[in-house]
Amino acid sequence: MPAKAALTVTTVQPVQSSLPLKLPANGTVVAWQEAIIGSEANGLRLVDVKVNVGDRVTKGQVLATFATEQINAEVAQARASFAEAQANALDAAGNADKARTLQASGALSEQQINQYNTADKTAKARLEAAKAMLAVLMWLPARELAVPSLWVIW
């Protein structure tokens, strides 16, 4: 007696057909990608907001502008501190060089020479700190906040 087939297979010819373009569904539609817009410049006064909720914005469009008085004053102060630190560093370097040339003559004690060398290193460190502070303030974009790509404001 022949074995009975365990599985029945039916073959058909493929047929092209259209699916409905509309598919009813329940749910909420939300943005595929959400971006939080903000400024890293704390303490700045917002002068003007140029867009509203629902507005379409394009890349490079200005969303808001900030007051520049505070930024300009901080940059001027940082430039002055940097110039002062440069002058102090030059003076300290010159004094340390003179102290090192007098070291062999015994005109200065070892302690005095160490003080001049320490003052030189301290002045260089203060110069680097002033340079870093100026660089941070110069980096602040913060006159305007612009859009990086095409969005709708929510």
Side-chain angles (χ1 to χ4, degrees), residues 109-132:
S109 69
E110 191 67 33
Q111 181 181 7
Q112 289 172 312
I113 293 169
N114 285 339
Q115 287 174 337
Y116 283 118
N117 287 332
T118 300
D120 181 33
K121 290 177 184 177
T122 303
K124 287 177 182 172
R126 287 189 178 138
L127 177 60
E128 287 302 312
K131 182 179 177 182

Side-chain angles (χ1 to χ4, degrees), residues 6 16 20 23 40 55 66 69 72 78 83 90 100 106 108 111-113 118 124 130 133 141 144:
Q16 185 173 3
L23 183 64
E40 293 183 20
D55 289 353
F66 296 98
E69 297 87 10
N72 294 341
L90 285 173
R100 283 188 288 271
L108 295 174
Q111 181 181 7
Q112 289 172 312
I113 293 169
T118 300
K124 287 177 182 172
M133 180 56 74
E144 296 180 332

Side-chain angles (χ1 to χ4, degrees), residues 21 37 44 54 59 84 101 107 109 122 146 149 151:
L21 295 177
I37 301 292
L44 294 179
K59 183 176 183 176
E84 181 183 12
T101 60
S109 69
T122 303
S149 63
W151 291 340

Side-chain angles (χ1 to χ4, degrees), residues 29-148:
V29 177
V30 295
W32 172 72
Q33 183 177 14
E34 184 175 323
I36 306 290
I37 301 292
S39 173
E40 293 183 20
N42 292 331
L44 294 179
R45 184 171 51 88
L46 191 60
V47 175
D48 189 20
V49 177
K50 300 180 182 288
V51 295
N52 291 307
V53 172
D55 289 353
R56 284 190 169 274
V57 293
T58 57
K59 183 176 183 176
Q61 181 178 345
V62 176
L63 301 177
T65 54
F66 296 98
T68 59
E69 297 87 10
Q70 181 179 352
I71 295 171
N72 294 341
E74 288 178 11
V75 168
Q77 185 178 8
R79 283 188 174 136
S81 294
F82 180 70
E84 181 183 12
Q86 276 182 314
N88 288 337
L90 285 173
D91 185 47
N95 289 339
D97 285 343
K98 287 175 193 170
R100 283 188 288 271
T101 60
L102 294 174
Q103 187 171 14
S105 70
L108 295 174
S109 69
E110 191 67 33
Q111 181 181 7
Q112 289 172 312
I113 293 169
N114 285 339
Q115 287 174 337
Y116 283 118
N117 287 332
T118 300
D120 181 33
K121 290 177 184 177
T122 303
K124 287 177 182 172
R126 287 189 178 138
L127 177 60
E128 287 302 312
K131 182 179 177 182
M133 180 56 74
L134 182 58
V136 165
L137 290 173
M138 295 302 292
W139 175 82
L140 288 177
R143 282 70 171 170
E144 296 180 332
L145 181 61
V147 180

